[in-house]
């Protein structure tokens, strides 16, 4: 067992069920499509899970950034938290695809391999119109855009304005969605994808390595670029993409209210406006129940954060990133639903212990040496 610190147990208690919801969504369509069609027309469990993840990220990422108070430490921590498992999972997916076990991801054979690799390693593939080596990593593109914007706000000492930013994004999502119903970054624009990916890498590198003045300029440029990528590159449509960003900043508003920076009334209004603007973002009857219940479940678990959770629930949250990344691969390897879940949880626990934990420890050591 890997016990979570009590202070963060409620976050892990959200992450675990969210990862399982996404997993069940894909497993249901794979193994029991007839049954799952009846579930999915009532509530999209996959959307429920990812919106819980977005709310959790909105809460914890600014808290992590401000706790460290160092942009270099933040980016180092993020890199060693996400990249070791992401790279391992992508390599495994490629090996199984080459062996004929996994199907070729859509569009993968039509784009140059170095360009595809750049998109997936930077986690921007969803926003620069590149194929994903693992289908579920589209959410990481929005996480990356949020990181860039959060860093920019921190660099110019405007991070406390997260509630206003969430409200602005939610209000802008509606007209932007009507004006830009599809991604503007489209087609097979390899050069555009490379330039955008390298621009983000450069912004992060300068933010990490340069002196204070250049660091601030690079951080702001990165934040503006992250916002532009969501507005212009969201494959699900600009409305949905901007609402995802607004949702994460709404999660930040909860953190601000907890810290006393804003009132709970302001945080509540922010959550309500974001939710209200997000409900009509997708023409699917299963969408609205999913995001409403995602906000509701997150609020309930937050209200219970002072309670003791069953030990297995925070533990499941600790291995949730492994569950999330590995399940699309296992879907093509295992023959039935019970065996799939019997294998997924132990395998995720193993990759957490052998890949995620060592990566996090190495990141902490590097941060300590640079401090």
């Amino acid at each position: 067992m890997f016990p979570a610190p009590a202070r963060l147990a409620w976050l892990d208690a959200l992450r675990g069920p969210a990862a399982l919801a996404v997993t069940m969504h894909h497993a249901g369509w794979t193994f029991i499509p007839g049954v799952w069609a009846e579930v999915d027309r009532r509530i999209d469990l996959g959307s429920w899970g990812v919106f819980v993840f977005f709310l959790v990220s909105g809460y914890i990422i600014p808290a992590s950034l401000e706790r460290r108070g160092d942009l270099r430490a933040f980016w180092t921590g993020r890199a060693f938290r996400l990249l070791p498992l992401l790279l391992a999972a992508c390599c495994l997916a490629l090996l199984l695809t080459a062996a004929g076990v996994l199907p070729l991801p859509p569009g993968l054979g039509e784009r140059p391999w170095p360009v595809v690799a750049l998109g997936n390693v930077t986690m921007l593939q969803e926003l620069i119109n590149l194929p994903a080596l693992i289908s579920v990593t589209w959410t990481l593109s929005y996480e990356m855009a949020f990181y860039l914007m959060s860093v920019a706000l921190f660099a110019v000492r405007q991070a406390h304005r997260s509630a206003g930013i969430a409200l602005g994004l939610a209000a802008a999502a509606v007209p932007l969605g009507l004006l830009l119903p599809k991604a503007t970054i489209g087609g097979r624009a390899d050069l555009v994808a490379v330039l955008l990916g390298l621009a983000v890498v450069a912004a992060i590198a300068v933010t990490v390595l340069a002196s204070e003045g250049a660091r601030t300029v690079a951080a702001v440029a990165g934040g503006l670029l992250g916002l532009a990528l969501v507005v212009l590159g969201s494959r699900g449509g600009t409305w949905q993409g901007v609402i995802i960003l607004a949702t994460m900043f709404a999660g930040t508003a909860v953190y601000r209210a907890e810290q006393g920076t804003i009132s709970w009334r302001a945080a509540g209004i922010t959550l309500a406006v974001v939710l209200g603007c997000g409900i009509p973002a997708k023409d699917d009857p299963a969408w609205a129940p999913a995001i409403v219940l995602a906000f509701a479940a997150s609020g309930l678990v937050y209200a219970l954060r002072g309670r003791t959770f069953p030990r297995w629930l925070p533990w499941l949250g600790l291995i949730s990133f492994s569950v999330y990344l590995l399940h699309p691969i296992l879907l093509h390897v295992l023959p039935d639903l019970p065996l799939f879940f019997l294998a997924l949880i132990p395998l995720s626990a193993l990759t957490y212990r052998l890949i995620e934990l060592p990566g996090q420890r190495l990141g902490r050591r590097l941060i300590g040496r640079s401090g």
Side-chain angles (χ1 to χ4, degrees):
M1 290 294 181
F2 313 106
R7 183 175 61 85
L8 300 179
W10 72 272
L11 291 170
D12 285 321
L14 278 169
R15 287 190 184 107
L20 286 183
V22 176
T23 299
M24 191 64 230
H25 176 78
H26 295 133
W29 281 114
T30 300
F31 297 117
I32 47 172
V35 173
W36 200 253
E38 292 301 309
V39 175
D40 198 60
R41 69 187 182 90
R42 294 173 173 84
I43 180 171
D44 183 345
L45 275 185
S47 293
W48 180 87
V50 297
F51 267 84
V52 169
F53 275 129
F54 291 141
L55 285 164
V56 167
S57 289
Y59 177 93
I60 195 60
I61 292 302
S64 173
L65 178 57
E66 290 161 24
R67 184 179 70 250
R68 290 188 172 116
D70 180 352
L71 298 181
R72 181 181 302 174
F74 171 77
W75 281 120
T76 302
R78 285 290 89 195
F80 283 90
R81 169 71 179 88
L82 300 174
L83 286 179
L85 182 64
L86 177 64
L87 293 174
C90 285
C91 289
L92 176 61
L94 286 174
L95 287 173
L96 292 175
T97 299
V101 177
L102 299 184
L104 191 70
L108 188 60
E110 302 169 7
R111 309 294 292 274
W113 273 99
V115 180
V116 173
L118 175 66
N120 282 266
V121 170
T122 59
M123 299 181 287
L124 293 171
Q125 75 286 339
E126 176 72 10
L127 301 178
I128 56 178
N129 193 39
L130 289 172
L133 298 178
I134 301 174
S135 60
V136 295
T137 54
W138 69 268
T139 61
L140 299 182
S141 295
Y142 292 97
E143 297 271 359
M144 177 58 79
F146 178 66
Y147 298 163
L148 290 165
M149 293 178 67
S150 296
V151 164
L153 291 167
F154 179 83
V156 295
R157 296 178 175 83
Q158 297 298 312
H160 61 283
R161 301 189 185 279
S162 51
I165 292 168
L167 291 171
L169 288 170
V174 180
L176 284 173
L178 296 174
L179 289 170
L180 301 170
K182 296 181 179 180
T184 303
I185 303 172
R188 295 183 59 187
D190 294 331
L191 179 60
V192 172
V194 169
L195 291 176
L196 290 171
L198 291 178
V200 169
V201 172
I204 295 172
V206 175
T207 300
V208 169
L209 300 174
S211 60
E212 185 173 349
R215 183 179 303 174
T216 301
V217 172
V220 171
L224 292 173
L225 184 55
L227 176 60
L229 287 175
V230 171
V231 171
L232 300 175
S234 295
R235 280 194 267 205
T238 302
W239 194 338
Q240 292 178 43
V242 177
I243 281 296
I244 288 171
L245 272 185
T247 297
M248 287 190 271
F249 278 106
T252 307
V254 174
Y255 171 71
R256 301 289 172 217
E258 183 180 82
Q259 297 299 305
T261 308
I262 65 173
S263 68
W264 279 107
R265 180 174 179 271
I269 291 172
T270 301
L271 290 163
V273 171
V274 171
L275 184 58
C277 292
I279 285 173
K282 187 175 183 180
D283 186 18
D284 179 353
W287 165 267
I291 65 170
V292 169
L293 289 175
F295 276 66
S298 300
L300 176 62
V301 175
Y302 179 82
L304 297 174
R305 66 191 183 283
R307 305 283 185 91
T308 300
F309 293 94
R311 186 180 176 86
W312 61 269
L313 194 55
W315 175 79
L316 185 62
L318 285 178
I319 67 168
S320 60
F321 189 48
S322 283
V323 171
Y324 187 75
L325 280 188
L326 296 179
H327 84 266
I329 299 173
L330 284 185
L331 285 174
H332 297 280
V333 175
L334 298 172
D336 57 55
L337 188 61
L339 187 58
F340 168 75
F341 276 107
L342 283 174
L344 177 62
I345 301 303
L347 178 61
S348 298
L350 186 64
T351 55
Y352 174 78
R353 180 179 285 276
L354 297 182
I355 299 175
E356 290 192 71
L357 268 181
Q360 292 171 37
R361 288 168 181 157
L362 177 57
R364 285 194 290 269
R365 284 200 296 272
L366 292 174
I367 290 169
R369 289 175 186 171
S370 65

